[in-house]
Amino acid sequence: MSAIPADLQAFLDEHRDSREYRRGLAVKLALQGYLYATICEMLDVTPGFISQAKTAYETAGIDGLRLKYQGGQSFLTDDQRQAVISWLKAQQTWSVEQLRSHIETTYAVVYKSNQSYYEMLAEAGITYKRSQALNPKHDPEQVAAKKKLSRRS
């Protein structure tokens, strides 16, 4: 059994993504002399996974074990997104179609999935299922007018 490099041990001691941890642990066990078959059984990985992780560690150090994906670029900036949410809050009625049209005409952005529109509606405190006008029961004038009509009959 060989000594574990200090940087690798520090990497494993940090709180991190389980995929990164599994890579680091596979490298640690390989450096300690465990057979690939044993590591595969313990970590439920393939020999290729161990080999790739070990090669990445040997060539790039700890950075080779880190996840490379950083996420996608947002279509709208944070300011634009806040402007859309403010616009939504100012509307009397809401629908996904209205939101899609507003974003397309104002920012020339069209999302492939409706999920993006649903998330914006949710961020504004609106459910996409409630795409109707405000409830007239909340307008005291309309309620009073309706009561007057019902008393006359």
Side-chain angles (χ1 to χ4, degrees), residues 96-142:
V96 174
E97 292 76 26
Q98 286 175 325
L99 177 59
R100 181 183 298 120
S101 174
H102 174 71
I103 293 173
E104 183 177 0
T105 56
T106 309
Y107 303 107
V109 171
V110 178
Y111 292 107
K112 289 181 183 177
S113 168
N114 279 347
Q115 186 63 37
S116 300
Y117 300 108
Y118 299 154
E119 289 171 4
M120 272 193 224
L121 287 166
E123 198 173 329
I126 304 164
T127 66
Y128 68 93
K129 296 176 184 174
R130 188 179 77 198
S131 60
Q132 64 207 26
L134 291 173
N135 189 343
K137 293 179 184 176
H138 292 292
D139 185 6
E141 293 175 13
Q142 286 184 356

Side-chain angles (χ1 to χ4, degrees), residues 77-109:
T77 65
D78 290 337
D79 292 338
Q80 291 172 335
R81 189 172 181 90
Q82 288 306 315
V84 170
I85 291 169
S86 297
W87 176 83
L88 276 170
K89 289 180 179 179
Q91 300 303 305
Q92 292 293 318
T93 59
W94 310 277
S95 72
V96 174
E97 292 76 26
Q98 286 175 325
L99 177 59
R100 181 183 298 120
S101 174
H102 174 71
I103 293 173
E104 183 177 0
T105 56
T106 309
Y107 303 107
V109 171

Side-chain angles (χ1 to χ4, degrees), residues 23-38:
R23 290 176 187 169
L25 193 55
V27 171
K28 176 183 175 180
L29 294 172
L31 292 176
Q32 286 180 332
Y34 284 89
L35 297 174
Y36 277 26
T38 306

Side-chain angles (χ1 to χ4, degrees), residues 63-83:
D63 288 334
L65 301 177
R66 297 191 196 283
L67 294 175
K68 306 296 186 271
Y69 182 71
Q70 298 298 318
Q73 183 70 19
S74 178
F75 290 109
L76 295 176
T77 65
D78 290 337
D79 292 338
Q80 291 172 335
R81 189 172 181 90
Q82 288 306 315

Side-chain angles (χ1 to χ4, degrees), residues 36-79:
Y36 277 26
T38 306
I39 299 170
C40 289
E41 196 173 306
M42 287 172 37
L43 300 180
D44 194 26
V45 296
T46 63
F49 175 87
I50 301 166
S51 178
Q52 284 178 347
K54 188 175 175 188
T55 302
Y57 176 72
E58 289 170 348
T59 57
I62 293 301
D63 288 334
L65 301 177
R66 297 191 196 283
L67 294 175
K68 306 296 186 271
Y69 182 71
Q70 298 298 318
Q73 183 70 19
S74 178
F75 290 109
L76 295 176
T77 65
D78 290 337
D79 292 338

